Amino acid sequence: MPTVSRFYVTTPIYYVNAEPHLGHAYTTIVGDALTRWHRLLGDEVMYLTGTDEHGLKIQQAAEEAGTTPQAFADEIAPKFAAAWERLDIAYDDFIRTTEPRHYKAVEEILQRCYDAGDIELDTFAGKYCVSCEEYYSDDELITIDGVPDCCPIHRRPVEYFEEENYFFRLSRFEDRLLDWYAQHPTAMKPEHRGNEALGLIKGGLRDFSISRTSLKWGVPLPWDPNHVTYVWFDALTNYLTAVGFGDGTEGYEKWWPVDYHLIGKDIVRQHCVYWPAMLMSAGIDPPKGWAIGGWLLVDNEKMSKTSGNVVNPLDLIDDIGLDGFRYYVLADTAYGNDGDFTYDGLVARYNADLANNLGNLAARVATVVGKKCGGVGTAPNPDSALAAVAATAVEDTTRWWDEVQPSRALDASWQLVRATNAHLEANEPWKADPGPEVDAVMGDALEALRIVAILASPAIPSTAQAVWERIGQTGAVTDQRVPADTAWGGYQPGADVIKGAPLFPRLKA
RNA sequence: GGCGGCGUAGCUCAGUUGGUCAGAGCAUCCGGCUCAUAAUCGGAAGGUCAUCGGUUCAAGUCCGAUCGCCGCUACCA
């Protein structure tokens, strides 16, 4: 048993051809909450996000903008970092694929795979649109006025090209991948997403090309600088770069293998098939896990520029508050399935769980403590009926975070909120005269709020801290540990309990 | 076409290896309470568990068919 357990989580790195939107925010918030939870568990945490800045599209976008690819990327990348600051994302590193450290790591893994004999020169043949500077597969091409094989964008015939490319021999890894997954059946979560990935492998694997001579904006192959690698060996490798791979030491082994790659369902093939095969070739352990999410739809449609429904998460914060937004995204979507983002849903969830249940509970407790306990926090009853509810809440919350199911984890935590409201109704302390019985009931409520503050802090960090302070606890809620500090009876009485303004003002529908 | 998945109360969904599994939250209705952000608490109503047919002493839970919906089908980050 290691004395310190480590927990390393990544988001995909986001392509800088677009500004941050709700989809990026969704994955990043899930990762943030998950890693905050593990910090509560006492784990040493590494949470990585960043930007993917190479490739043809960036090269082209820069040309259109009359600038260099680097300058173009330099413009966009900070917008992601700034968005994550606004969303209170506690990332530990922000990697950009244009950084020198990343070039070293990409060169290192390429060289290892090349030395292993899994990268070979071959001929790539395909139909190529000169205007797009891209290859198309047959089913992407369209027929126009009887002329077959036309580019769907430029509506003109494509040309047949052959190009010398280096290929990664993915086809050699089918059995090894299946064996590995057979030995690690819970690596991909949720399970049904994992099954889909296994289906991809069983369907047969083809080699894929990893370099282009036409492309300039990327990392040159160490043994053949006329070729530039793209996408796979570039983007995926960031997960190694950030923990020190390629820096000449073996320091990356402190963090590797990564605990979870958080990914969207659209990039399962790359992350769950290509990536572990590349790592195997390079003599590196595959990831311990993948947490595969669905898409966050907007009004039940996929967000896209053309449908004009792109949601900027930062716009919502002004309306609903940072924690309200974070909570909605986490609580209202089953991770792994598509979620549906609607303003009505946001308001409904916010009012029900945050304003009515938690926020109102904090307010009523503060008021009664003010009237019946002199405004000073009292000790809970060690044998309170709420103690068992709290223990169950802690246990279930822990289990669901372990399954990377934030919505269920929060629901489990909220069981304690609901039970505490009911506990007050059952005892009606506002009707009783001040005394030991009222003190105990209010102590129970304060203690429940204390535990809830800890359990909810991964989702609503700033409000959790506010609750913590209002009920008279000192220090930071983030310094608490689960389960030691979520055991019943940890509330420190004797401090002033403050009502304050509503934590979550109720919203009009 | 191929492979895979889904279809459980108005809504969002839970339901391990078949035997209190017919549930939760929200919404609705009724009642209580008034400490609280017109919040809260209790109760009720509501589902032939897509359809049909099998296996079984027993099936949302297994098998087959049908209808409907969806994902993947590969060098795009």
Side-chain angles (χ1 to χ4, degrees), chain A residues 15 52 200 204 209 230-232 269-270 356 359-360 364 367 408 425 430-431 499 504 506:
Chain A
Y15 206 49
D52 181 9
L200 295 178
S209 75
Y230 68 102
V231 199
W232 326 123
R269 178 186 301 281
Q270 292 79 349
N356 296 351
N360 183 57
R364 66 195 303 209
T367 298
R408 301 213 186 174
E425 295 292 331
W430 45 86
K431 283 183 175 176
K499 181 167 183 185
F504 298 102
R506 196 177 157 80

Coordinates of all heavy atoms in Angstrom, one line a residue, chain A residues 15 52 200 204 209 230-232 269-270 356 359-360 364 367 408 425 430-431 499 504 506, chain B residues 4 14-15 25-26 32-37 39-42 71-77:
Chain A
Y15 N -9.2 21.9 -29.5 CA -8.7 22.5 -30.7 C -8.9 24.0 -30.8 O -10.1 24.4 -30.5 CB -9.3 21.7 -31.9 CG -8.4 21.7 -33.1 CD1 -7.1 21.3 -33.0 CD2 -8.9 22.1 -34.4 CE1 -6.3 21.3 -34.2 CE2 -8.1 22.1 -35.5 CZ -6.8 21.7 -35.4 OH -6.0 21.7 -36.5
D52 N -4.9 22.0 -28.2 CA -4.3 21.3 -29.4 C -4.2 22.4 -30.5 O -5.2 23.0 -30.9 CB -5.3 20.2 -29.8 CG -4.7 19.4 -31.0 OD1 -3.6 19.6 -31.4 OD2 -5.5 18.6 -31.5
L200 N -15.4 -1.9 -31.6 CA -14.5 -1.3 -32.6 C -13.3 -2.2 -32.8 O -12.9 -2.4 -34.0 CB -14.0 0.1 -32.1 CG -15.1 1.2 -32.0 CD1 -14.4 2.5 -31.5 CD2 -15.8 1.4 -33.3
G204 N -12.0 -5.3 -36.3 CA -10.8 -5.3 -37.1 C -10.1 -4.0 -37.1 O -10.8 -3.0 -37.2
S209 N -2.1 6.2 -41.1 CA -1.0 7.0 -41.4 C -0.8 8.0 -40.3 O -1.7 8.5 -39.7 CB -1.1 7.6 -42.8 OG -2.0 8.7 -42.7
Y230 N 0.8 14.2 -37.3 CA -0.4 15.0 -37.1 C -1.3 14.2 -36.2 O -1.3 13.0 -36.2 CB -1.0 15.5 -38.4 CG -1.6 14.3 -39.2 CD1 -3.0 14.1 -39.2 CD2 -0.8 13.5 -39.9 CE1 -3.5 13.1 -39.8 CE2 -1.3 12.4 -40.6 CZ -2.7 12.2 -40.5 OH -3.2 11.1 -41.2
V231 N -2.2 14.9 -35.6 CA -3.3 14.4 -34.8 C -2.8 13.4 -33.8 O -2.5 13.7 -32.6 CB -4.4 13.9 -35.6 CG1 -5.7 13.8 -34.7 CG2 -4.7 14.7 -36.8
W232 N -2.8 12.1 -34.2 CA -2.7 11.1 -33.2 C -1.4 11.2 -32.3 O -1.5 11.3 -31.1 CB -2.7 9.7 -33.9 CG -3.6 9.7 -35.1 CD1 -3.2 9.3 -36.4 CD2 -5.0 10.0 -35.2 NE1 -4.3 9.4 -37.2 CE2 -5.4 9.8 -36.5 CE3 -5.9 10.4 -34.3 CZ2 -6.7 10.1 -37.0 CZ3 -7.2 10.7 -34.7 CH2 -7.6 10.5 -36.0
R269 N -12.5 5.9 -30.3 CA -11.6 5.2 -31.1 C -10.1 5.6 -30.9 O -9.3 4.8 -30.7 CB -11.9 5.3 -32.6 CG -11.0 4.5 -33.5 CD -11.3 4.8 -35.0 NE -12.6 4.4 -35.3 CZ -13.0 3.2 -35.6 NH1 -12.1 2.2 -35.5 NH2 -14.2 2.9 -35.9
Q270 N -9.9 6.9 -31.0 CA -8.6 7.4 -30.8 C -8.0 7.1 -29.4 O -6.9 6.8 -29.3 CB -8.6 8.9 -31.1 CG -8.9 9.3 -32.5 CD -10.4 9.3 -32.8 OE1 -11.2 8.7 -32.0 NE2 -10.8 9.8 -34.0
N356 N -34.5 25.9 -3.0 CA -35.5 25.4 -2.1 C -34.9 24.4 -1.0 O -35.3 24.5 0.1 CB -36.6 24.6 -2.8 CG -37.4 25.5 -3.7 OD1 -37.2 26.8 -3.7 ND2 -38.2 25.0 -4.6
G359 N -30.3 25.9 0.0 CA -30.2 27.3 0.4 C -31.2 27.7 1.4 O -30.9 28.3 2.4
N360 N -32.4 27.2 1.2 CA -33.5 27.5 2.2 C -33.2 26.8 3.6 O -33.5 27.3 4.6 CB -34.8 27.0 1.7 CG -36.0 27.4 2.6 OD1 -36.2 28.5 3.0 ND2 -36.7 26.4 3.0
R364 N -33.1 28.7 7.1 CA -34.1 28.5 8.2 C -33.3 28.0 9.5 O -33.7 28.3 10.6 CB -35.1 27.5 7.8 CG -34.6 26.1 7.5 CD -35.6 25.2 6.8 NE -36.9 25.0 7.5 CZ -37.7 23.9 7.4 NH1 -37.2 22.9 6.6 NH2 -38.8 23.8 8.0
T367 N -31.8 31.1 11.1 CA -32.8 31.9 11.8 C -33.2 31.3 13.1 O -33.3 32.0 14.1 CB -34.1 32.0 10.9 OG1 -33.7 32.7 9.7 CG2 -35.2 32.8 11.6
R408 N -25.4 11.1 -9.8 CA -25.8 10.2 -8.8 C -25.1 10.5 -7.5 O -25.7 10.3 -6.4 CB -25.5 8.7 -9.2 CG -26.2 8.3 -10.4 CD -26.5 6.8 -10.4 NE -27.1 6.4 -11.6 CZ -27.4 5.1 -11.9 NH1 -27.2 4.2 -10.9 NH2 -27.9 4.8 -13.0
E425 N -38.9 19.4 10.6 CA -40.3 19.4 10.6 C -40.8 18.4 11.8 O -41.7 18.7 12.4 CB -40.9 18.8 9.3 CG -40.7 19.7 8.1 CD -41.5 21.0 8.2 OE1 -42.5 21.0 8.8 OE2 -41.0 22.0 7.7
W430 N -38.8 25.5 16.3 CA -39.3 26.9 16.4 C -40.5 27.0 17.4 O -40.8 28.1 17.8 CB -39.7 27.4 15.0 CG -40.5 26.4 14.2 CD1 -41.9 26.2 14.3 CD2 -40.0 25.4 13.3 NE1 -42.2 25.2 13.4 CE2 -41.1 24.7 12.8 CE3 -38.7 25.1 12.9 CZ2 -41.0 23.6 11.9 CZ3 -38.6 24.1 11.9 CH2 -39.7 23.4 11.5
K431 N -41.1 25.9 17.7 CA -42.2 26.0 18.6 C -41.8 25.8 20.1 O -42.6 26.1 21.0 CB -43.3 24.8 18.3 CG -44.1 25.1 17.1 CD -45.1 24.0 16.9 CE -46.1 24.2 15.8 NZ -47.0 23.1 15.6
K499 N -26.7 34.3 9.2 CA -27.7 34.0 8.2 C -27.3 34.5 6.8 O -27.1 33.7 5.9 CB -29.1 34.6 8.5 CG -30.1 34.3 7.5 CD -31.5 34.6 7.9 CE -32.5 34.2 6.8 NZ -33.9 34.6 7.1
F504 N -28.6 30.9 -2.7 CA -29.1 30.7 -4.0 C -30.5 31.4 -4.2 O -31.5 30.7 -3.9 CB -29.3 29.2 -4.3 CG -28.0 28.4 -4.3 CD1 -27.7 27.7 -3.1 CD2 -27.1 28.5 -5.3 CE1 -26.5 27.0 -3.1 CE2 -25.9 27.8 -5.2 CZ -25.6 27.0 -4.1
R506 N -33.9 32.4 -5.3 CA -34.8 31.7 -6.2 C -35.0 32.4 -7.5 O -35.1 33.6 -7.5 CB -36.2 31.6 -5.5 CG -37.1 30.5 -6.1 CD -38.4 30.4 -5.2 NE -39.4 29.9 -6.1 CZ -39.5 28.6 -6.3 NH1 -38.7 27.7 -5.8 NH2 -40.5 28.2 -7.1
Chain B
rG4 P -23.8 -7.5 -32.6 OP1 -23.4 -8.6 -31.6 OP2 -25.0 -7.7 -33.4 O5' -23.9 -6.2 -31.7 C5' -22.9 -5.8 -30.9 C4' -23.1 -4.5 -30.3 O4' -23.2 -3.5 -31.3 C3' -24.4 -4.2 -29.6 O3' -24.4 -4.8 -28.2 C2' -24.5 -2.7 -29.5 O2' -23.6 -2.2 -28.6 C1' -24.0 -2.4 -30.9 N9 -25.1 -2.3 -31.9 C8 -25.6 -3.2 -32.8 N7 -26.6 -2.8 -33.5 C5 -26.9 -1.5 -33.0 C6 -27.9 -0.5 -33.3 O6 -28.8 -0.6 -34.1 N1 -27.8 0.6 -32.5 C2 -26.8 0.8 -31.5 N2 -26.8 2.0 -30.9 N3 -25.9 -0.1 -31.2 C4 -26.0 -1.2 -32.0
rA14 P -30.9 5.2 -16.2 OP1 -29.6 5.1 -16.8 OP2 -32.0 4.5 -16.9 O5' -30.8 4.7 -14.7 C5' -32.0 4.8 -13.9 C4' -31.6 4.4 -12.5 O4' -32.8 4.8 -11.7 C3' -31.4 2.9 -12.3 O3' -30.1 2.6 -12.4 C2' -32.0 2.7 -10.9 O2' -31.0 3.0 -9.9 C1' -33.1 3.7 -10.9 N9 -34.4 3.1 -11.4 C8 -34.9 3.3 -12.7 N7 -36.1 2.7 -12.8 C5 -36.3 2.1 -11.6 C6 -37.4 1.3 -11.2 N6 -38.4 0.9 -11.9 N1 -37.3 0.8 -9.9 C2 -36.2 1.1 -9.2 N3 -35.2 1.9 -9.5 C4 -35.3 2.3 -10.7
rG15 P -29.6 1.1 -12.8 OP1 -28.2 1.0 -12.5 OP2 -30.1 0.8 -14.2 O5' -30.4 0.2 -11.8 C5' -30.7 -1.1 -12.1 C4' -31.8 -1.6 -11.1 O4' -32.9 -0.6 -11.1 C3' -32.5 -2.9 -11.6 O3' -31.8 -4.0 -11.1 C2' -33.9 -2.7 -11.0 O2' -33.9 -3.1 -9.7 C1' -34.1 -1.2 -11.2 N9 -34.7 -0.9 -12.5 C8 -34.1 -0.2 -13.5 N7 -34.9 -0.1 -14.6 C5 -36.0 -0.8 -14.2 C6 -37.2 -1.0 -15.0 O6 -37.5 -0.6 -16.1 N1 -38.1 -1.8 -14.3 C2 -37.9 -2.3 -13.0 N2 -38.9 -3.0 -12.5 N3 -36.8 -2.1 -12.3 C4 -36.0 -1.3 -13.0
rG25 P -38.8 10.9 -3.9 OP1 -38.7 11.5 -2.5 OP2 -40.2 10.6 -4.4 O5' -38.1 11.9 -4.9 C5' -36.8 12.5 -4.6 C4' -36.4 13.3 -5.8 O4' -36.2 12.4 -6.9 C3' -37.4 14.3 -6.3 O3' -37.4 15.5 -5.6 C2' -37.0 14.5 -7.8 O2' -35.8 15.3 -7.9 C1' -36.6 13.1 -8.1 N9 -37.8 12.3 -8.7 C8 -38.6 11.5 -8.0 N7 -39.5 11.0 -8.8 C5 -39.3 11.6 -10.0 C6 -40.1 11.5 -11.2 O6 -41.1 10.8 -11.5 N1 -39.5 12.3 -12.2 C2 -38.4 13.1 -12.1 N2 -38.0 13.8 -13.2 N3 -37.7 13.2 -11.0 C4 -38.2 12.4 -10.0
rC26 P -38.7 16.4 -5.4 OP1 -38.4 17.5 -4.5 OP2 -39.8 15.5 -5.0 O5' -38.9 16.9 -6.8 C5' -38.0 17.8 -7.4 C4' -38.4 18.1 -8.9 O4' -38.3 16.8 -9.6 C3' -39.8 18.6 -9.1 O3' -40.0 20.0 -8.9 C2' -40.1 18.2 -10.5 O2' -39.5 19.1 -11.4 C1' -39.3 16.8 -10.6 N1 -40.3 15.7 -10.3 C2 -41.1 15.3 -11.4 O2 -41.1 15.9 -12.5 N3 -42.0 14.3 -11.2 C4 -42.0 13.7 -10.0 N4 -42.9 12.7 -9.8 C5 -41.2 14.1 -8.9 C6 -40.3 15.1 -9.1
rG32 P -55.1 21.7 6.5 OP1 -56.0 22.0 7.6 OP2 -54.8 22.6 5.4 O5' -53.7 21.3 7.2 C5' -53.7 20.3 8.3 C4' -52.3 20.1 8.7 O4' -51.5 19.6 7.6 C3' -51.5 21.3 9.2 O3' -51.8 21.7 10.5 C2' -50.1 20.9 9.1 O2' -49.7 20.1 10.1 C1' -50.2 20.1 7.8 N9 -49.8 20.9 6.6 C8 -50.7 21.4 5.6 N7 -50.1 22.1 4.7 C5 -48.8 22.1 5.1 C6 -47.6 22.7 4.5 O6 -47.6 23.3 3.5 N1 -46.5 22.4 5.2 C2 -46.4 21.6 6.4 N2 -45.2 21.5 6.9 N3 -47.5 21.1 6.9 C4 -48.6 21.3 6.2
rC33 P -51.7 23.2 11.0 OP1 -52.0 23.3 12.4 OP2 -52.4 24.1 10.0 O5' -50.1 23.5 10.8 C5' -49.2 22.9 11.7 C4' -47.8 23.3 11.3 O4' -47.6 22.9 9.9 C3' -47.6 24.8 11.3 O3' -47.2 25.3 12.6 C2' -46.4 24.9 10.3 O2' -45.1 24.6 10.9 C1' -46.8 23.9 9.3 N1 -47.5 24.4 8.1 C2 -46.8 25.2 7.2 O2 -45.6 25.3 7.3 N3 -47.5 25.7 6.1 C4 -48.8 25.5 6.0 N4 -49.5 26.0 5.0 C5 -49.6 24.8 7.0 C6 -48.9 24.3 8.1
rU34 P -47.7 26.6 13.1 OP1 -47.7 26.6 14.6 OP2 -49.0 26.9 12.4 O5' -46.6 27.6 12.5 C5' -45.3 27.3 12.6 C4' -44.6 28.1 11.5 O4' -45.2 27.8 10.3 C3' -44.7 29.6 11.7 O3' -43.4 30.0 12.2 C2' -44.9 30.2 10.3 O2' -43.8 30.8 9.8 C1' -45.3 29.0 9.5 N1 -46.5 28.9 8.7 C2 -46.5 29.3 7.4 O2 -45.5 29.7 6.9 N3 -47.7 29.1 6.7 C4 -48.9 28.7 7.2 O4 -49.8 28.6 6.5 C5 -48.8 28.4 8.6 C6 -47.7 28.5 9.3
rC35 P -42.9 31.3 12.7 OP1 -43.0 31.4 14.2 OP2 -43.5 32.4 11.9 O5' -41.4 31.1 12.2 C5' -40.3 31.4 13.0 C4' -39.1 30.8 12.4 O4' -39.2 29.3 12.6 C3' -39.0 31.0 11.0 O3' -38.4 32.3 10.7 C2' -38.1 29.9 10.6 O2' -36.7 30.2 10.8 C1' -38.5 28.7 11.5 N1 -39.4 27.8 10.8 C2 -38.8 26.7 10.1 O2 -37.6 26.7 10.0 N3 -39.6 25.8 9.5 C4 -40.9 25.9 9.7 N4 -41.7 25.0 9.1 C5 -41.6 26.9 10.4 C6 -40.8 27.9 11.0
rA36 P -38.9 33.1 9.5 OP1 -38.3 34.4 9.7 OP2 -40.3 32.9 9.3 O5' -38.2 32.4 8.3 C5' -36.7 32.3 8.2 C4' -36.4 31.4 7.1 O4' -36.9 30.1 7.4 C3' -37.0 31.8 5.8 O3' -36.1 32.7 5.1 C2' -37.1 30.5 5.0 O2' -35.9 30.1 4.4 C1' -37.3 29.5 6.2 N9 -38.7 29.1 6.4 C8 -39.8 29.9 6.9 N7 -40.9 29.2 7.0 C5 -40.6 28.0 6.5 C6 -41.3 26.8 6.4 N6 -42.6 26.7 6.7 N1 -40.7 25.7 5.9 C2 -39.4 25.8 5.6 N3 -38.6 26.8 5.7 C4 -39.2 27.9 6.2
rU37 P -36.6 34.0 4.4 OP1 -35.6 35.0 4.6 OP2 -38.0 34.2 4.9 O5' -36.7 33.5 2.9 C5' -37.2 34.4 1.9 C4' -37.1 33.6 0.6 O4' -35.7 33.3 0.4 C3' -37.8 32.3 0.6 O3' -39.0 32.4 -0.2 C2' -36.9 31.3 -0.1 O2' -37.4 30.9 -1.4 C1' -35.7 32.1 -0.4 N1 -34.4 31.5 -0.2 C2 -33.8 31.1 -1.4 O2 -34.3 31.2 -2.4 N3 -32.5 30.5 -1.2 C4 -31.8 30.4 0.0 O4 -30.7 29.9 -0.1 C5 -32.5 30.8 1.1 C6 -33.7 31.3 1.0
rA39 P -42.2 28.3 -4.0 OP1 -41.7 29.4 -4.9 OP2 -43.0 27.2 -4.5 O5' -40.9 27.8 -3.2 C5' -41.0 26.8 -2.3 C4' -39.8 26.9 -1.4 O4' -39.9 28.1 -0.5 C3' -39.7 25.7 -0.4 O3' -38.9 24.7 -1.0 C2' -38.9 26.3 0.7 O2' -37.5 26.5 0.5 C1' -39.5 27.7 0.8 N9 -40.7 27.8 1.6 C8 -41.8 26.9 1.7 N7 -42.7 27.2 2.5 C5 -42.3 28.4 3.1 C6 -42.8 29.2 4.0 N6 -44.0 29.0 4.7 N1 -42.1 30.3 4.4 C2 -40.9 30.5 3.8 N3 -40.3 29.8 2.8 C4 -41.0 28.7 2.5
rU40 P -39.5 23.3 -1.2 OP1 -38.5 22.5 -1.9 OP2 -40.9 23.3 -1.6 O5' -39.6 22.8 0.4 C5' -38.4 22.9 1.2 C4' -38.7 22.6 2.6 O4' -39.6 23.6 3.1 C3' -39.5 21.3 2.8 O3' -38.6 20.2 2.9 C2' -40.3 21.5 4.1 O2' -39.4 21.4 5.2 C1' -40.6 23.0 3.9 N1 -41.9 23.2 3.3 C2 -43.1 23.1 4.0 O2 -43.0 22.9 5.2 N3 -44.3 23.3 3.4 C4 -44.4 23.6 2.0 O4 -45.6 23.7 1.6 C5 -43.2 23.6 1.3 C6 -42.0 23.5 1.9
rC41 P -39.0 18.8 2.3 OP1 -37.8 17.9 2.4 OP2 -39.7 18.9 1.1 O5' -40.1 18.3 3.4 C5' -39.7 18.1 4.8 C4' -40.9 17.7 5.6 O4' -41.8 18.8 5.7 C3' -41.8 16.6 5.0 O3' -41.2 15.3 5.2 C2' -43.1 16.8 5.7 O2' -43.0 16.4 7.0 C1' -43.1 18.4 5.7 N1 -43.8 18.9 4.5 C2 -45.2 18.9 4.5 O2 -45.8 18.5 5.5 N3 -45.8 19.5 3.4 C4 -45.1 19.9 2.4 N4 -45.8 20.4 1.4 C5 -43.7 19.9 2.4 C6 -43.1 19.4 3.5
rG42 P -41.6 14.1 4.3 OP1 -40.8 13.0 4.7 OP2 -41.5 14.6 2.9 O5' -43.1 13.8 4.6 C5' -43.5 13.3 5.8 C4' -45.0 13.2 5.9 O4' -45.6 14.5 5.7 C3' -45.6 12.4 4.7 O3' -45.6 11.0 4.9 C2' -47.1 12.9 4.8 O2' -47.8 12.3 5.8 C1' -46.9 14.4 5.0 N9 -46.8 15.2 3.8 C8 -45.7 15.7 3.2 N7 -45.9 16.4 2.1 C5 -47.3 16.3 2.0 C6 -48.2 16.8 1.0 O6 -47.9 17.5 0.0 N1 -49.5 16.5 1.3 C2 -49.9 15.8 2.3 N2 -51.3 15.5 2.4 N3 -49.1 15.3 3.3 C4 -47.9 15.6 3.0
rG71 P -27.7 9.2 -33.9 OP1 -27.2 10.6 -33.9 OP2 -28.2 8.6 -35.2 O5' -26.5 8.3 -33.3 C5' -25.9 8.7 -32.1 C4' -24.9 7.6 -31.7 O4' -25.6 6.3 -31.5 C3' -23.9 7.2 -32.8 O3' -22.8 8.1 -32.7 C2' -23.5 5.8 -32.3 O2' -22.6 5.9 -31.2 C1' -24.8 5.2 -31.9 N9 -25.5 4.5 -32.9 C8 -26.6 4.9 -33.7 N7 -26.9 4.0 -34.6 C5 -26.1 3.0 -34.4 C6 -26.0 1.7 -35.0 O6 -26.7 1.3 -35.9 N1 -24.9 0.9 -34.5 C2 -24.1 1.3 -33.5 N2 -23.1 0.5 -33.2 N3 -24.2 2.5 -32.9 C4 -25.2 3.3 -33.4
rC72 P -22.1 8.4 -34.1 OP1 -21.1 9.6 -33.8 OP2 -23.1 8.5 -35.2 O5' -21.2 7.1 -34.3 C5' -20.1 6.8 -33.4 C4' -19.6 5.4 -33.8 O4' -20.7 4.4 -33.6 C3' -19.2 5.2 -35.2 O3' -17.9 5.8 -35.5 C2' -19.2 3.7 -35.3 O2' -18.1 3.1 -34.7 C1' -20.5 3.4 -34.6 N1 -21.7 3.4 -35.4 C2 -21.9 2.2 -36.1 O2 -21.1 1.2 -36.0 N3 -23.0 2.1 -36.9 C4 -23.9 3.2 -37.0 N4 -24.9 3.0 -37.8 C5 -23.6 4.4 -36.3 C6 -22.5 4.4 -35.5
rU73 P -17.6 6.4 -36.9 OP1 -16.2 6.9 -36.9 OP2 -18.7 7.3 -37.3 O5' -17.7 5.1 -37.9 C5' -16.8 4.0 -37.7 C4' -17.1 3.0 -38.7 O4' -18.4 2.4 -38.4 C3' -17.3 3.5 -40.2 O3' -16.1 3.7 -40.8 C2' -18.1 2.3 -40.8 O2' -17.3 1.2 -41.1 C1' -19.0 2.0 -39.6 N1 -20.3 2.7 -39.7 C2 -21.4 2.0 -40.3 O2 -21.2 0.9 -40.8 N3 -22.5 2.7 -40.4 C4 -22.8 4.0 -40.0 O4 -23.9 4.5 -40.1 C5 -21.6 4.6 -39.3 C6 -20.5 4.0 -39.2
rA74 P -16.0 4.6 -42.1 OP1 -17.2 5.4 -42.2 OP2 -15.7 3.7 -43.3 O5' -14.8 5.5 -41.9 C5' -14.7 6.3 -40.7 C4' -13.4 6.0 -40.0 O4' -13.5 4.8 -39.3 C3' -12.2 5.9 -40.9 O3' -11.7 7.2 -41.1 C2' -11.3 5.1 -40.0 O2' -10.5 5.9 -39.1 C1' -12.3 4.2 -39.2 N9 -12.3 2.8 -39.6 C8 -13.1 2.3 -40.6 N7 -13.0 1.0 -40.7 C5 -12.0 0.7 -39.7 C6 -11.4 -0.5 -39.3 N6 -11.7 -1.7 -39.9 N1 -10.5 -0.5 -38.3 C2 -10.2 0.7 -37.8 N3 -10.7 1.9 -38.1 C4 -11.6 1.8 -39.0
rC75 P -11.3 7.6 -42.6 OP1 -12.4 8.4 -43.0 OP2 -10.9 6.4 -43.4 O5' -10.1 8.5 -42.3 C5' -10.1 9.3 -41.1 C4' -8.6 9.5 -40.7 O4' -8.0 8.3 -40.5 C3' -7.8 10.2 -41.9 O3' -7.7 11.6 -41.6 C2' -6.4 9.5 -41.7 O2' -5.6 10.3 -40.9 C1' -6.7 8.2 -41.0 N1 -6.7 7.1 -42.0 C2 -5.5 6.7 -42.6 O2 -4.5 7.4 -42.4 N3 -5.4 5.7 -43.4 C4 -6.5 4.9 -43.6 N4 -6.4 3.9 -44.4 C5 -7.7 5.2 -43.0 C6 -7.8 6.3 -42.2
rC76 P -8.7 12.6 -42.4 OP1 -10.0 11.9 -42.7 OP2 -7.9 13.2 -43.4 O5' -9.0 13.6 -41.2 C5' -9.5 14.9 -41.6 C4' -10.2 15.4 -40.4 O4' -11.3 14.6 -40.1 C3' -9.4 15.4 -39.1 O3' -8.5 16.5 -39.0 C2' -10.5 15.5 -38.0 O2' -10.9 16.8 -37.8 C1' -11.6 14.7 -38.6 N1 -11.5 13.3 -38.2 C2 -12.8 12.7 -37.7 O2 -13.8 13.4 -37.8 N3 -12.8 11.4 -37.2 C4 -11.6 10.7 -37.2 N4 -11.7 9.5 -36.7 C5 -10.4 11.3 -37.6 C6 -10.4 12.5 -38.1
rA77 P -7.1 16.2 -38.3 OP1 -6.1 16.1 -39.4 OP2 -7.3 15.0 -37.4 O5' -6.9 17.5 -37.4 C5' -6.6 17.4 -36.1 C4' -7.7 18.1 -35.3 O4' -8.9 17.5 -35.7 C3' -7.6 17.7 -33.8 O3' -6.7 18.6 -33.1 C2' -9.0 17.9 -33.3 O2' -9.3 19.3 -33.1 C1' -9.8 17.5 -34.6 N9 -10.2 16.1 -34.4 C8 -9.5 14.9 -34.1 N7 -10.3 13.9 -34.1 C5 -11.5 14.3 -34.3 C6 -12.8 13.7 -34.4 N6 -12.9 12.4 -34.3 N1 -13.9 14.4 -34.7 C2 -13.7 15.7 -34.9 N3 -12.6 16.4 -34.8 C4 -11.5 15.7 -34.5

